[in-house]
């Protein structure tokens, strides 16, 4: 599940709009070297401006049926929309089904239990948190 806010004018952010239109998305797990770009990419931009281009975020296509992922990250989930949950308020929880997982081999510490060891940053409300041992 991810939660997506709205623009100041009340319209859906581009991420939510794109998920609604394509029924697909990619959730990228970034480390500290991407913290500034991740934060900058949450800036409200006109719909015709690409966050990837504006903030020099390189992407690559991994699975043809999904949007591209950030080029040099260590982990990403390729997801399909399951449903939106209307709870009122300023954000929309979106439930996703993970269809494919990308993990660089060197971060898998136990292939039988699929334990991965990453230092990733997650957005939690208006703050960020460091997550380890997934």
């Amino acid at each position: 599940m991810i939660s997506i806010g709205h623009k100041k004018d009340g319209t859906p952010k581009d991420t939510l709009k794109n998920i609604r239109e394509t029924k697909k998305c990619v959730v990228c797990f970034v480390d500290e070297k991407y913290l500034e770009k991740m934060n900058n990419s949450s800036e409200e931009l006109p719909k015709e401006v690409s966050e990837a281009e504006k903030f020099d975020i390189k992407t690559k296509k991994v699975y043809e049926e999904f949007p591209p992922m950030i080029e040099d990250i260590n982990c990403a989930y390729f997801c399909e929309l399951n449903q939106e949950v209307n709870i009122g308020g300023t954000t929309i929880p979106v439930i996703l089904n993970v269809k494919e997982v990308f993990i660089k081999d060197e971060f898998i510490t136990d292939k039988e239990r699929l334990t991965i060891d990453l230092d990733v940053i997650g957005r939690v409300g208006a703050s960020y948190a460091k997550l380890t041992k997934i």
Side-chain angles (χ1 to χ4, degrees), residues 19-20 23-24 79-84 94-96:
I19 291 172
R20 285 174 170 166
K23 309 294 187 228
K24 296 180 186 216
C79 305
E80 290 181 352
L81 174 63
N82 180 305
Q83 67 177 334
E84 290 181 37
V94 179
I95 299 173
L96 305 169

Side-chain angles (χ1 to χ4, degrees), residues 5 17 19 22 24 29 38 40 52 56-57 62 64 84 87 91 101-102 108 118 122:
K17 180 181 173 293
I19 291 172
T22 66
K24 296 180 186 216
F29 294 82
M38 180 175 67
N40 290 344
D56 192 32
I57 301 169
V62 176
E64 193 55 41
E84 290 181 37
I87 59 171
T91 60
V101 177
F102 170 87
I108 301 173
L118 295 169

Side-chain angles (χ1 to χ4, degrees), residues 28-43 55-57 70 72-73 119-131:
C28 296
F29 294 82
V30 299
D31 55 27
E32 278 190 81
K33 73 180 178 185
Y34 273 102
L35 179 58
E36 184 176 353
K37 288 183 180 188
M38 180 175 67
N39 186 54
N40 290 344
S41 71
S42 68
E43 180 182 318
F55 301 113
D56 192 32
I57 301 169
I70 298 172
D72 63 344
I73 59 163
D119 279 333
V120 295
I121 304 289
R123 186 155 188 170
V124 183
S127 305
Y128 295 93
K130 198 168 194 179
L131 312 168

Side-chain angles (χ1 to χ4, degrees), residues 73-106:
I73 59 163
N74 302 321
C75 181
Y77 290 168
F78 295 79
C79 305
E80 290 181 352
L81 174 63
N82 180 305
Q83 67 177 334
E84 290 181 37
V85 181
N86 185 353
I87 59 171
T90 59
T91 60
I92 304 288
V94 179
I95 299 173
L96 305 169
N97 293 327
V98 177
K99 296 298 186 176
E100 301 286 347
V101 177
F102 170 87
I103 304 169
K104 285 186 180 174
D105 287 340
E106 62 261 31

